[in-house]
Amino acid sequence: MFEESFKALDGELASLVELTKKLTKAVGSAQAASRRGDLQAVNRQVESCGSALNKALSQVELVRRALEQAQQALSTSSLEDLAREVGERVDQPWLPTENPNIFVAFPALVHFAREGVRIDRKIFRSQRPSAIAEAIKRARAAKSKETDPQAVLQLIWKAARIASGYLRKRVEQLPNSISVAARDVFDVLHLNNSDYTEAEFTRHLYLLDRNPINNVDGYRLIFSASTGTRSGRCYRIRDERGEEHIYYLLEFERL
């Protein structure tokens, strides 16, 4: 639906481009005839300019009409509709989060808003499904700290030590097992960076959950839902098979 509106606008703009080319060509021919002193040729080319200009002005109105139709399609539809159409072009299942406008196109985090789409931490000011999908594919292929499991594990590990009061202790002084509520880890990360969202945290937990390397400073990360899921202090995401992953407790066990 959205893409078809943009294609219609593309078509009208292409027609306008062709008409402006004809206008430019006629103006150039008139200039050349004037340099030669051929007033009859100048007159013919000026007539051609007027005809091309009138057609171009009429085409501008068709462009405006196509633009209005595209704007109307966007204004009368929901962000969920846009996300659905983009998802069909990503070539990978959306992983929904608890926010209906935020998805994981693993490992990229995609947040739909009226002013544009946030892909990880970059704003992409587009409402065209094909353009958004291409931007998402580029983000998925790019290397960054946001999607590097080892960098994310270090981030979570440091926040877990802060939340449990062990930041200033050396690793060899730490207990053999450290258990921290996921909510407490998020609070530390959010306090350090107010732009860090729960959806981003959930994406990071899922990234670590499916990553085979989960060792940091001689500790292994283990996820646990436990009975805490009933308290509401947990994070949820569905994977490609529709299976729900619930994160309540982060446990670090010494190897």
Side-chain angles (χ1 to χ4, degrees):
M1 176 178 61
F2 297 101
E3 191 66 27
E4 290 305 314
S5 297
F6 279 103
K7 285 181 178 179
L9 181 58
D10 286 345
E12 299 298 353
L13 284 168
S15 295
L16 181 59
V17 168
E18 290 304 314
L19 288 170
T20 56
K21 286 180 179 178
K22 291 179 180 179
L23 176 60
T24 301
K25 182 179 179 181
V27 170
S29 297
Q31 284 182 319
S34 179
R35 293 190 192 100
R36 296 194 308 269
D38 188 344
L39 294 181
Q40 289 183 341
V42 172
N43 184 62
R44 287 196 304 272
Q45 295 304 324
V46 169
E47 290 294 326
S48 296
C49 287
S51 176
L53 182 58
N54 288 332
K55 290 179 180 178
L57 290 174
S58 296
Q59 186 59 35
V60 166
E61 291 305 313
L62 295 178
V63 169
R64 284 178 177 154
R65 194 175 306 167
L67 176 59
E68 290 171 358
Q69 290 174 347
Q71 291 172 326
Q72 183 177 13
L74 289 167
S75 64
T76 58
S77 301
S78 66
L79 290 173
E80 288 86 344
D81 292 332
L82 177 59
R84 189 179 305 109
E85 192 167 335
V86 172
E88 294 171 355
R89 296 173 174 272
V90 172
D91 298 332
Q92 184 186 30
W94 281 133
L95 307 184
T97 65
E98 292 185 312
N99 187 316
N101 296 327
I102 301 179
F103 299 83
V104 176
F106 193 80
L109 185 72
V110 184
H111 184 178
F112 288 87
R114 284 298 178 189
E115 64 274 12
V117 180
R118 181 184 292 273
I119 304 174
D120 288 332
R121 294 192 176 276
K122 294 182 179 179
I123 292 291
F124 187 66
R125 300 196 181 282
S126 174
Q127 294 169 310
R128 183 166 187 163
S130 59
I132 296 171
E134 287 303 314
I136 291 171
K137 291 175 184 178
R138 290 194 298 271
R140 282 167 45 200
K143 300 290 185 181
S144 73
K145 290 192 292 184
E146 302 299 325
T147 56
D148 178 6
Q150 200 60 47
V152 171
L153 182 57
Q154 287 286 352
L155 180 73
I156 299 295
W157 168 237
K158 183 176 181 180
R161 289 177 63 181
I162 293 174
S164 57
Y166 292 126
L167 178 64
R168 299 192 180 280
K169 287 185 176 293
R170 296 194 301 272
V171 172
E172 57 269 23
Q173 295 177 315
L174 298 177
N176 291 330
S177 179
I178 300 174
S179 297
V180 191
R183 173 68 68 175
D184 294 340
V185 175
F186 169 74
D187 287 344
V188 170
L189 293 170
H190 182 67
L191 185 63
N192 184 60
N193 179 6
S194 60
D195 292 331
Y196 190 78
T197 65
E198 291 187 331
E200 190 168 1
F201 182 56
T202 305
R203 182 270 303 260
H204 279 156
L205 295 181
Y206 180 70
L207 175 71
L208 297 179
D209 193 8
R210 64 183 286 168
N211 185 58
I213 301 174
N214 58 0
N215 300 337
V216 56
D217 287 347
Y219 282 80
R220 178 180 61 182
L221 172 61
I222 301 173
F223 292 100
S224 174
S226 185
T227 57
T229 56
R230 292 194 292 269
S231 72
R233 292 173 59 83
C234 59
Y235 300 86
R236 305 169 185 266
I237 191 172
R238 292 191 181 277
D239 63 20
E240 296 91 332
R241 299 177 301 277
E243 180 181 346
E244 187 175 52
H245 296 254
I246 303 174
Y247 306 108
Y248 165 70
L249 195 66
L250 306 186
E251 300 180 72
F252 291 88
E253 290 189 352
R254 193 185 295 275
L255 297 171

